[in-house]
Amino acid sequence: MVRQRVIVSPDTFIWTNGSLGIAYNSSIRTGYRFENTMSISEYIDIIQRPESLYSAIVPSSVDKEAHTDLQLFLNRLVKEGMAKIVADKEDIPLSLKPILKIQDDVSYYRWLNGQGIDGEVINNLHKIVVNLGSCIGSNLFACQSPFPVHDDVSILNAIRIKQFIKDSAQSSFLSEINIIGNPIGKFDEEFYAEIKSISPIRFSVLADDMGGNYDLIRKLQEFGKLELVIRVSTTLPQKVISLINKFPETDLCFIVEKEEDIDLIHSLGIDGTTIGEIRILPIYNSTNKAFIMDTLAINEDDLLINGPDKRSIFIHESINIFDFGKLYIMPDGKVLSNMCSPAIGTIEENPKDIVYRELDRGKSWLKTRNNFSCTKCVFRSLCPSFSNYEKLLGRPLCTIYNDMN
């Protein structure tokens, strides 16, 4: 009798933890959970050994009867298009299981630094966020959205900030300068003109800070893309309508803290009156945990019915997509790699040194699910990157966490 071999697709991921397992097809972005019995666990261990090339001999008929659970497992893999069973021959094309391959990892940059040739580390810098602050800003909101921190006393060092951004231009991948907060009296037109020549500018300004200052809005639009940030619970609907009618091309970012805020946005009927981008961001305000969980929580179906593709899985396993490549300049000149983290440098330093410091010993850009309470969760590679919502809430944004605890 010709032996048969099961060959698992290189687009298929199989993760197990204890008695629970997940089989996931990253090409069609669907998967299912299974009970990881002893016979299944032992077989998966064989399949995933490097020398097995993501395949294994199908158990004999005697073994099949003894391990019905394993046979059902293999049948399901084939049915879902995650594997095929063929006659075992020498010339069968095989492949490795999906493996993350990183060329320029942390050890690579440490080696370059030791050789004194670490100039290319700056290419990991993709975005600079300058937070100007505002007297109506919120440090808590700034951790979650393009919101200014609370500050009405700091005097920004425009010359040094400009030089920091110029030095950052050494990065071939610097794609945006995001200026957040109240710009009144902070920078002159020459500053904006020079920055614009380095990288596109995006202004995120509180609508309540702008008031009826239409001339300033027009001036900012000359130098970059303008986004009006609107805290729905404190901004009068009439002001929003007035600004939209005056500047229909402006992007709008609505900050919502409860269901009623979302209802109010819909009641404004602005979908057809603006040609700018509209986005709605839920914000944790320290008292609305239930609203945040109801709005943002991820469940098992979200991950297994329409989950990430292979590339996204590998990205989530290696970097934090919310933080990677971003540096935040604060009103006092400190530089952060995450708005919830301590300063990692100042604008007096070369940005290259700060980028290397974050890659070498920072805790933001490379923070993955393996560094949080999700370490033992079999779903962790399917989940989005760890977010500041979770840091503030003190728990993952998923219902699976509750099930496992």
Side-chain angles (χ1 to χ4, degrees):
M1 183 176 179
V2 178
R3 293 194 310 176
Q4 291 185 307
R5 179 177 291 273
V6 60
I7 302 174
V8 183
S9 164
D11 290 323
T12 296
F13 291 82
I14 301 176
W15 300 292
T16 60
N17 184 28
S19 62
L20 176 62
I22 298 292
Y24 184 78
N25 187 332
S26 64
S27 63
I28 59 175
R29 299 165 60 190
T30 60
Y32 61 90
R33 71 153 67 196
F34 60 86
E35 183 181 356
N36 187 36
T37 64
M38 182 176 293
S39 57
I40 293 177
S41 177
E42 292 174 349
Y43 196 78
I44 290 175
D45 180 64
I46 295 173
I47 287 177
Q48 304 218 59
R49 294 172 186 169
E51 64 270 20
S52 296
L53 296 178
Y54 223 26
S55 71
I57 297 297
V58 174
S60 65
S61 57
V62 175
D63 291 332
K64 288 180 183 178
E65 294 176 3
H67 300 291
T68 305
D69 55 340
L70 176 56
Q71 186 60 43
L72 292 174
F73 170 73
L74 296 179
N75 291 344
R76 180 76 185 271
L77 281 179
V78 173
K79 179 182 177 181
E80 299 293 340
M82 300 183 190
K84 60 183 179 180
I85 295 177
V86 299
D88 186 39
K89 297 182 296 183
E90 289 186 2
D91 59 348
I92 296 177
L94 303 175
S95 63
L96 292 171
K97 73 174 186 177
I99 299 174
L100 173 64
K101 299 176 182 178
I102 301 179
Q103 292 180 332
D104 301 344
D105 60 5
V106 176
S107 60
Y108 170 73
Y109 290 115
R110 286 173 180 159
W111 179 83
L112 286 181
N113 182 261
Q115 304 301 310
I117 51 173
D118 59 348
E120 63 189 74
V121 72
I122 191 66
N123 285 329
N124 291 284
L125 178 58
H126 304 156
K127 180 177 180 179
I128 293 177
V129 181
V130 182
N131 199 308
L132 306 177
S134 168
C135 62
I136 56 173
S138 165
N139 294 355
L140 179 60
F141 285 16
C143 289
Q144 310 165 64
S145 67
F147 209 90
V149 294
H150 180 77
D151 188 280
D152 56 1
V153 296
S154 296
I155 299 176
L156 278 75
N157 188 334
I159 296 176
R160 190 55 216 149
I161 291 176
K162 184 195 299 184
Q163 187 59 50
F164 188 90
I165 294 175
K166 286 183 175 180
D167 291 341
S168 299
Q170 298 173 52
S171 172
S172 303
F173 299 99
L174 183 64
S175 59
E176 182 179 271
I177 308 298
N178 187 196
I179 298 179
I180 298 174
N182 189 346
I184 298 176
K186 302 293 176 63
F187 302 132
D188 57 23
E189 292 186 18
E190 181 183 353
F191 176 93
Y192 293 131
E194 288 194 49
I195 298 307
K196 181 182 178 180
S197 68
I198 295 172
S199 182
I201 303 176
R202 183 177 186 84
F203 298 96
S204 299
V205 182
L206 289 181
D208 286 332
D209 271 333
M210 287 294 93
N213 196 338
Y214 297 154
D215 288 340
L216 178 58
I217 291 178
R218 293 190 186 92
K219 185 61 65 177
L220 294 178
Q221 288 179 327
E222 291 179 14
F223 294 104
K225 189 74 172 175
L226 176 62
E227 174 182 57
L228 289 176
V229 181
I230 301 159
R231 184 180 179 185
V232 178
S233 64
T234 62
T235 305
L236 294 175
Q238 293 88 339
K239 178 183 290 187
V240 176
I241 295 298
S242 176
L243 287 169
I244 292 173
N245 290 336
K246 199 76 175 177
F247 304 97
E249 73 281 8
T250 301
D251 291 345
L252 303 175
C253 176
F254 290 100
I255 303 297
V256 297
E257 301 162 67
K258 53 186 182 298
E259 287 291 342
E260 291 77 8
D261 290 346
I262 300 176
D263 294 337
L264 179 58
I265 295 171
H266 292 315
S267 72
L268 296 176
I270 60 175
D271 289 347
T273 60
T274 177
I275 58 176
E277 177 186 350
I278 298 176
R279 57 176 176 157
I280 299 175
L281 292 183
I283 287 290
Y284 175 59
N285 63 13
S286 77
T287 63
N288 64 343
K289 185 175 182 178
F291 168 71
I292 294 298
M293 290 305 302
D294 289 343
T295 306
L296 300 178
I298 300 168
N299 59 42
E300 184 176 322
D301 287 344
D302 294 328
L303 300 176
L304 295 181
I305 294 178
N306 187 29
D309 58 17
K310 183 192 290 188
R311 180 174 180 273
S312 297
I313 290 172
F314 285 152
I315 290 174
H316 296 161
E317 289 180 338
S318 57
I319 66 173
N320 187 301
I321 62 170
F322 301 123
D323 290 332
F324 192 86
K326 299 177 185 177
L327 289 180
Y328 300 81
I329 299 175
M330 306 308 290
D332 60 2
K334 292 180 180 177
V335 178
L336 284 60
S337 57
N338 176 283
M339 288 296 292
C340 282
S341 301
I344 195 167
T346 74
I347 55 174
E348 301 299 327
E349 299 179 76
N350 190 304
K352 174 177 68 67
D353 296 331
I354 297 177
V355 169
Y356 175 75
R357 189 178 304 141
E358 171 59 28
L359 291 172
D360 181 40
R361 59 178 186 267
K363 298 181 179 179
S364 298
W365 288 13
L366 304 181
K367 185 170 186 176
T368 67
R369 294 283 167 189
N370 291 326
N371 308 120
F372 193 50
S373 55
C374 308
T375 303
K376 296 182 179 179
C377 180
V378 73
F379 290 90
R380 68 181 181 276
S381 292
L382 293 175
C383 286
S385 293
F386 178 82
S387 70
N388 280 358
Y389 287 110
E390 294 166 271
K391 187 166 186 176
L392 295 170
L393 291 171
R395 54 149 297 162
L397 278 175
C398 71
T399 58
I400 302 169
Y401 177 81
N402 283 340
D403 296 339
M404 292 188 170
N405 289 273

